[in-house]
């Protein structure tokens, strides 16, 4: 679907990213961000509510 619309290397990268996402390989259960922020990070819902308030 991407071929002919984007450069071949970009199409390959996007396809590999989608496959990795589907297989759960991009899940990150690390607490590094929480440690750096010294608090729990906001959820996407919380961040959007804050931005749209």
């Amino acid at each position: 679907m991407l071929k002919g619309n984007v450069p071949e290397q970009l199409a390959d990268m996007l396809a590999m990213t989608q496959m990795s996402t589907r297989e759960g390989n991009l899940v990150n259960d690390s607490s590094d961000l929480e440690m750096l922020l010294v608090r729990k990070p906001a959820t996407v819902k919380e961040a959007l509510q804050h931005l749209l308030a």
Side-chain angles (χ1 to χ4, degrees):
M1 185 167 119
L2 294 173
K3 290 187 180 203
N5 296 319
V6 296
E8 185 176 343
Q9 288 178 326
L10 178 58
D12 290 344
M13 183 194 70
L14 291 171
M16 288 184 349
T17 300
Q18 288 297 318
M19 287 188 306
S20 292
T21 300
R22 182 179 39 225
E23 294 168 1
N25 296 330
L26 299 179
V27 173
N28 183 355
D29 293 333
S30 170
S31 61
D32 292 347
L33 182 58
E34 184 176 345
M35 183 182 69
L36 290 169
L37 294 175
V38 192
R39 63 173 174 78
K40 286 208 174 275
T43 64
V44 172
K45 182 179 179 179
E46 292 168 341
L48 288 173
Q49 286 174 335
H50 178 74
L51 287 171
L52 299 174

